[in-house]
Amino acid sequence: MHGSPFTIPQRAAGPSYAIWLALLFIPALSLPVLAQTDSTGAVRRDSSLLMVVPDTSTIDQDIRAGSFTVGASDLDAEITGQDVSGILRSSRDVFDATAGYNFGAARFRVRGLGGEFNPVSINGIVMNDLENGYASWSLWGGLNDVTRWAESRTGVSASPYGFGSIGRWSNIDLRASNLRKGTRLSYASANRTYRNRAMATYNTGLMANGWAFSLSGSLRWSDEGYVPGTFYNAGAYFLSAEKKINDKHSIGFVGFGSPIVSGRQGLAVAEAQTLAGDHYYNPNWGWQDGKKRNANVSNDHKPVFILSHYFKPDERTKWNTSVLYTFGRDGYTALNWYDAPDPRPDYYRYLPSYYEETAPWVAAQLTQAWQNDPNTSQIDWAQLYFANGKNLYTVKDAEGIAGNDVTGMRSKYIVEDRRADPTRIAANSVWSRNITDELGLTVGGSYNSQKTRYFKVIDDLLGGDFWLDLDQFAARDSDDPNAAQNDLNTPNHIVRVGDEFGYDYDIRTNQANLFGQVDRKWRKVEGYFGASVTSTVFWRDGHFRKALFPDNSFGKSEKQSFLHGGVKAGAVYKISGREYITANAAFLSNAPTARTAYLSPRTRDAVVDGLTTEKAFSGDISYEARMRRVKGRATLYYVHTSDGIWSRSFYHDVYRTFVNYSMTGVSEDHLGLELGAQIKVSPTLEATAAYAEGQYVYSSRPTATVTRDNSDTALAVGRTVYWKNFRVGGMPQRAASAGLRYNAPKYWSIGANANYFGNIYLDPNPDRRTAEALGNLVVEDPQWNALLEQTKLDDGFTVDLFFTKSWRVKHKYRIGLNLSVSNVLDNTDLVTGGYEQLRYVPKEIDKFPPKLSYMYGRTYYAMVTLSF
């Protein structure tokens, strides 16, 4: 490599032959990123393939110089005329359907993009959280009967609901008059997250009196899911009512919610999974009084209410306006402890590997205990209660008032409930008009205001009498007797079950948006252009005055304001009424989210230096065919994002406290190919195929800032992270599926899909790819490559089967049976995710190995329905 005395044995991250082959057939797509060559030799070209290698080669020079999809259905009905729009059509093609159903189990992400680039709207109102950019589908979980027919589109495209983004947009129409009339009852049995589901739905359709109603509800439950120690209890409710006032005006109301209480799965290192003899080993539970108790229980319920006005002044014009209000609770429980040993069974000091070199006999004893004693391999609840019952303690009154001292059993261990309770109001209005048969115009605006309150409450004192609200890390590191106070406004705060403690603050976000779109149709060509402008403001409002940060933890912080927006354009060339070539491009900028902007919002209002908007460019070109027997799509796409923020918090062994690791200037390049085809082999036999090939890499050297929770002093400022050309982790970058389906004349069908997943990487720990991490190592040291090499997971293969059957009874009732078996071959060795631990020791890189998650083995889903 140029300018480097060594090379790194890194797996090549270059584009696959499939992408290069596709480029030969679609030369119109320019890919300037692949034509660039890094001066350090990070990118090199040979005669057959471009090889991209992480640019950590320059780390040596600096040292010496001192320096983580909702499915769709089949394609739309066959298109027979050239005058059908190729822009505003539904996107339910075979690739999207496959990516949603068959690829979802492997954590596949369309084009490698996160939820912040995938807006999801209900009745036109975007549901993505303002603080993290993601839409939570669990808000309407269990309401499949009314939410299943979402309209969506992948990539940059025209949209009748808003500006959209570069990933995919989806809109769920819950208008009562648009929901299919009838009654549907169903029961499902499964062995996945839940074991049982019962659902009922009733839709009136638009009645003669101008009213339409829709009601739906469900229950989902399991005492234990597929993963040991997990459970699931959920309900769901839905009401949609609409009144058609006249031919021009209708008013609608929608209300829904999905309360969910579930025991969570925790990831573990391979050693713990091997000792337990189970890839699905779950460290979150333990035995208590003969029952499994999970310490990490999620409790989520955020009802949503939407009021809409539908105005149609004439046949060419529509004006829809909606307002939304939502509130509720979101949180999960977790263990906490003070001046006591770590209670987690998979803590690294409780694993045999920690003692293999220094005390092999201890390692042998631990191995036996892990394999035979559940109090070793799981949480020992009895021990936690025992410790709390032996800790008699007196808390002195903060004002020194005699007689106000409190004496009792001070809990060393508790279960706390970490809450993030949102309240949000939103309004959205979209006006559209077909000015002529060829020219259309859409304009709209929206306003969103969200407040999320972050706080903790005591869930269980585990046999103790109280908990003293102190920061144990501050108490250890400071000689100031008040430094440990989490809230100076309530010193020596004694808390009991249901009391708030630890931290308490609001994040407030306001966002206003305007967008416009014009589309034009000619005989052989259609085109569109859209633009959007958005104002985003967020700030922190603290309710506790933390002793370590008395001046910037309590009250309202400075407001962070950003003006951002985007432009997009696209065109469709209609080769015939059945063949199309489409091209789209967009440039947009997004405000940083509050979730990543604040260094440590639990303790203070400090933000990352140099906050700026994140920029994104995306372009794609496609060939689409809708023949009588063959339907399909081939797409090449390129996405570049820059000025992103990456932020995480973790416990640091060297500093013995929680640290916050924030990076600015994060860039990514996503280049890929999507292929999907549906072939009608005969009137009863249908074949499908889908293939996704991506190269998703980090394309910059971000700058890191490292801070401690209990100190204003930065541990590192301006640290260069050599992330360039490392793969973006957490998903397959290659996926393929092939399927056959037989549709019998007697109303039954059977089919199978074979699926392949490859190029799966874990996201790289940024601090391991810095000059500081390698400062005490030489190039020849084996730890040098161990620190730098990115973790690549094994490829995997699965097979799925499905069967459907329906019966008509008295020409009124329809009974349906659906059975699917996923991962028929019971492949339990396919790792689909995980992460490199942020805590690490440079010369003992195996001390904190990656934590891994595996795809479920063989599972089934069987459902019977009655419709009338």
Side-chain angles (χ1 to χ4, degrees):
M1 302 180 72
H2 301 297
S4 173
F6 66 96
T7 57
I8 299 171
Q10 172 71 31
R11 296 178 179 88
S16 74
Y17 287 101
I19 293 180
W20 285 109
L21 184 63
L23 288 174
L24 296 177
F25 292 98
I26 312 181
L29 182 65
S30 63
L31 300 170
V33 67
L34 295 182
Q36 298 173 357
T37 303
D38 192 291
S39 61
T40 66
V43 180
R44 66 179 186 268
R45 184 186 299 273
D46 64 24
S47 59
S48 62
L49 185 65
L50 185 71
M51 306 298 291
V52 183
V53 180
D55 70 339
T56 49
S57 58
T58 56
I59 294 180
D60 180 64
Q61 298 172 4
D62 289 351
I63 293 172
R64 296 180 183 183
S67 14
F68 259 17
T69 303
V70 175
S73 63
D74 297 333
L75 279 166
D76 291 0
E78 186 170 307
I79 294 177
T80 57
Q82 291 187 359
D83 59 344
V84 176
S85 171
I87 294 177
L88 297 180
R89 67 187 183 279
S90 170
S91 67
R92 291 171 181 161
D93 62 16
V94 64
F95 180 85
D96 287 334
T98 302
Y101 292 124
N102 300 348
F103 294 167
R107 305 177 187 268
F108 179 83
R109 297 205 303 262
V110 174
R111 302 191 179 178
L113 298 173
E116 69 272 24
F117 293 112
N118 295 275
V120 178
S121 58
I122 293 181
N123 286 13
I125 296 183
V126 175
M127 302 299 294
N128 296 53
D129 188 276
L130 297 185
E131 289 177 33
N132 60 28
Y134 282 68
S136 176
W137 289 82
S138 64
L139 285 176
W140 49 90
L143 297 174
N144 308 54
D145 284 351
V146 294
T147 62
R148 69 175 64 216
W149 306 118
E151 182 181 358
S152 62
R153 178 75 180 177
T154 296
V156 179
S157 69
S159 169
Y161 308 104
F163 181 75
S165 190
I166 60 175
R168 71 180 301 180
W169 60 259
S170 302
N171 181 71
I172 302 172
D173 183 4
L174 298 181
R175 187 175 176 179
S177 62
N178 289 344
L179 297 175
R180 182 179 298 176
K181 180 180 179 180
T183 300
R184 177 183 168 97
L185 307 175
S186 66
Y187 170 79
S189 174
N191 67 336
R192 300 173 182 175
T193 303
Y194 56 82
R195 301 281 180 172
N196 306 275
R197 191 196 75 179
M199 185 180 298
T201 301
Y202 172 64
N203 301 323
T204 66
L206 186 62
M207 298 182 290
N209 60 4
W211 280 96
F213 295 95
S214 176
L215 294 167
S216 186
S218 72
L219 293 173
R220 293 165 290 162
W221 71 96
S222 68
D223 292 333
E224 187 169 52
Y226 187 89
V227 175
T230 62
F231 66 88
Y232 198 89
N233 289 301
Y237 53 88
F238 171 84
L239 168 65
S240 180
E242 182 182 349
K243 172 61 178 176
K244 182 178 181 182
I245 300 173
N246 53 44
D247 289 340
K248 295 184 178 180
H249 295 275
S250 293
I251 295 177
F253 168 80
V254 174
F256 61 86
S258 181
I260 302 172
V261 179
S262 62
R264 293 160 50 129
Q265 176 188 4
L267 300 188
V269 299
E271 180 183 3
Q273 294 167 342
T274 300
L275 288 167
D278 188 359
H279 282 161
Y280 310 99
Y281 164 73
N282 182 9
N284 287 346
W285 68 273
W287 291 100
Q288 181 179 351
D289 298 329
K291 297 181 179 179
K292 292 181 179 179
R293 178 179 179 180
N294 194 311
N296 292 76
V297 176
S298 174
N299 191 339
D300 182 7
H301 182 206
K302 299 185 285 288
V304 177
F305 307 97
I306 302 174
L307 185 64
S308 301
H309 175 231
Y310 308 99
F311 179 39
K312 190 175 182 181
D314 55 58
E315 290 302 315
R316 289 183 175 271
T317 308
K318 293 189 298 182
W319 190 358
N320 296 338
T321 301
S322 297
V323 293
L324 171 147
Y325 175 69
T326 181
F327 68 98
R329 61 156 294 153
D330 190 0
Y332 65 94
T333 63
L335 286 171
N336 197 354
W337 56 98
Y338 190 103
D339 191 26
D342 194 318
R344 297 170 298 178
D346 60 338
Y347 180 52
Y348 76 101
R349 291 175 180 264
Y350 303 158
L351 296 174
S353 60
Y354 184 75
Y355 300 95
E356 282 181 349
E357 293 186 5
T358 59
W361 63 93
V362 175
Q365 292 173 353
L366 277 175
T367 300
Q368 290 295 320
W370 262 85
Q371 295 173 346
N372 299 294
D373 182 10
N375 289 327
T376 298
S377 58
Q378 305 295 154
I379 296 172
D380 190 348
W381 289 104
Q383 179 59 35
L384 306 188
Y385 277 86
F386 176 81
N388 287 348
K390 297 294 184 180
N391 192 31
L392 187 65
Y393 192 88
T394 298
V395 181
K396 298 292 184 180
D397 180 70
E399 303 294 332
I401 301 175
N404 285 356
D405 297 347
V406 175
T407 300
M409 295 299 176
R410 177 184 175 185
S411 290
K412 287 178 171 288
Y413 299 98
I414 59 168
V415 176
E416 63 185 21
D417 191 5
R418 302 172 182 173
R419 300 282 288 279
D421 294 357
T423 302
R424 179 182 178 187
I425 58 173
N428 184 78
S429 187
V430 177
W431 178 89
S432 61
R433 178 173 175 80
N434 293 324
I435 299 172
T436 67
D437 290 342
E438 294 80 24
L439 182 64
L441 176 66
T442 302
V443 294
S446 64
Y447 175 77
N448 281 268
S449 180
Q450 178 175 315
K451 180 186 77 172
T452 304
R453 183 187 174 203
Y454 294 89
F455 63 104
K456 296 195 298 184
V457 298
I458 299 290
D459 182 77
D460 193 341
L461 288 167
L462 301 180
D465 296 323
F466 61 86
W467 174 268
L468 191 57
D469 188 14
L470 298 176
D471 183 336
Q472 63 176 316
F473 301 118
R476 181 197 63 202
D477 297 339
S478 175
D479 295 330
D480 183 353
N482 290 321
Q485 299 294 337
N486 279 322
D487 185 12
L488 285 175
N489 298 332
T490 312
N492 289 349
H493 187 201
I494 296 174
V495 289
R496 298 179 174 86
V497 173
D499 292 342
E500 298 154 14
F501 75 107
Y503 55 80
D504 188 355
Y505 64 95
D506 299 333
I507 295 293
R508 303 290 299 265
T509 307
N510 293 336
Q511 190 174 88
N513 167 265
L514 294 173
F515 84 95
Q517 176 182 286
V518 60
D519 54 87
R520 181 73 162 85
K521 292 192 294 185
W522 294 270
R523 182 176 178 273
K524 299 285 286 184
V525 178
E526 297 181 21
Y528 71 91
F529 174 82
S532 173
V533 61
T534 303
S535 172
T536 299
V537 181
F538 59 81
W539 67 95
R540 180 188 184 274
D541 188 0
H543 305 307
F544 280 7
R545 188 184 299 276
K546 192 168 181 64
L548 291 173
F549 311 100
D551 299 325
N552 61 344
S553 59
F554 184 75
K556 295 182 179 179
S557 71
E558 177 185 356
K559 293 184 178 180
Q560 306 294 325
S561 302
F562 301 90
L563 186 66
H564 51 103
V567 292
K568 65 178 181 179
V572 177
Y573 174 71
K574 293 174 277 189
I575 301 172
S576 67
R578 301 177 184 275
E579 294 179 274
Y580 305 83
I581 293 178
T582 67
N584 303 277
F587 174 82
L588 55 87
S589 60
N590 291 322
T593 63
R595 184 71 57 86
T596 58
Y598 288 101
L599 290 172
S600 177
R602 300 177 304 276
T603 62
R604 57 195 185 277
D605 60 21
V607 297
V608 175
D609 288 338
L611 282 181
T612 187
T613 57
E614 180 179 11
K615 289 79 175 176
F617 167 79
S618 178
D620 62 58
I621 186 168
S622 301
Y623 167 77
E624 298 184 41
R626 299 185 178 186
M627 307 297 185
R628 188 172 301 278
R629 289 183 174 272
V630 179
K631 302 175 183 179
R633 171 169 66 88
T635 298
L636 271 172
Y637 62 86
Y638 170 67
V639 177
H640 173 74
T641 64
S642 59
D643 289 328
I645 299 176
W646 188 97
S647 183
R648 302 289 189 275
S649 296
F650 65 100
Y651 184 82
H652 200 294
D653 272 62
V654 175
Y655 300 107
R656 298 171 61 208
T657 187
F658 279 94
V659 303
N660 310 289
Y661 203 102
S662 298
M663 293 191 298
T664 56
V666 178
S667 298
E668 297 181 19
D669 283 334
H670 293 225
L671 168 70
L673 167 71
E674 297 169 346
L675 298 173
Q678 182 184 62
I679 304 170
K680 202 168 185 63
V681 181
S682 72
T684 57
L685 187 62
E686 179 182 277
T688 60
Y691 178 77
E693 178 72 37
Q695 176 187 286
Y696 314 140
V697 298
Y698 293 105
S699 56
S700 66
R701 299 172 183 169
T703 300
T705 299
V706 187
T707 59
R708 288 191 288 187
D709 260 6
N710 56 355
S711 175
D712 257 335
T713 304
L715 300 172
V717 177
R719 178 175 293 180
T720 299
V721 177
Y722 293 85
W723 251 16
K724 190 173 184 180
N725 294 329
F726 277 92
R727 293 275 188 157
V728 178
M731 70 201 128
Q733 298 198 14
R734 176 182 296 150
S737 180
L740 282 175
R741 180 187 185 111
Y742 174 74
N743 298 296
K746 297 293 185 179
Y747 305 106
W748 63 270
S749 66
I750 190 170
N753 294 299
N755 312 300
Y756 166 80
F757 309 101
N759 283 356
I760 309 173
Y761 295 81
L762 297 186
D763 226 24
N765 174 343
D767 206 54
R768 282 174 47 184
R769 282 80 186 184
T770 62
E772 289 78 5
L774 298 174
N776 295 322
L777 299 174
V778 296
V779 177
E780 293 77 16
D781 194 317
Q783 295 300 325
W784 180 279
N785 288 331
L787 275 170
L788 296 178
E789 188 176 36
Q790 185 172 8
T791 304
K792 184 180 181 182
L793 306 175
D794 293 336
D795 297 353
F797 177 80
T798 64
V799 175
D800 305 325
L801 299 177
F802 59 89
F803 172 81
T804 67
K805 171 66 178 172
S806 64
W807 299 266
R808 287 280 187 183
V809 180
K810 297 183 178 180
H811 303 286
K812 179 180 179 182
Y813 300 96
R814 181 171 179 264
I815 299 174
L817 172 66
N818 293 270
L819 174 64
S820 64
V821 181
S822 300
N823 197 357
V824 173
L825 303 179
D826 200 26
N827 180 1
T828 59
D829 296 325
L830 178 54
V831 181
T832 57
Y835 56 90
E836 291 184 0
Q837 295 194 67
L838 294 179
R839 59 195 302 191
Y840 74 100
V841 178
K843 292 189 176 182
E844 298 178 74
I845 196 62
D846 294 331
K847 186 175 182 179
F848 299 106
K851 293 196 172 184
L852 307 173
S853 64
Y854 288 78
M855 179 186 287
Y856 287 178
R858 186 185 302 114
T859 60
Y860 75 90
Y861 193 89
M863 180 173 67
V864 60
T865 61
L866 173 64
S867 304
F868 55 91

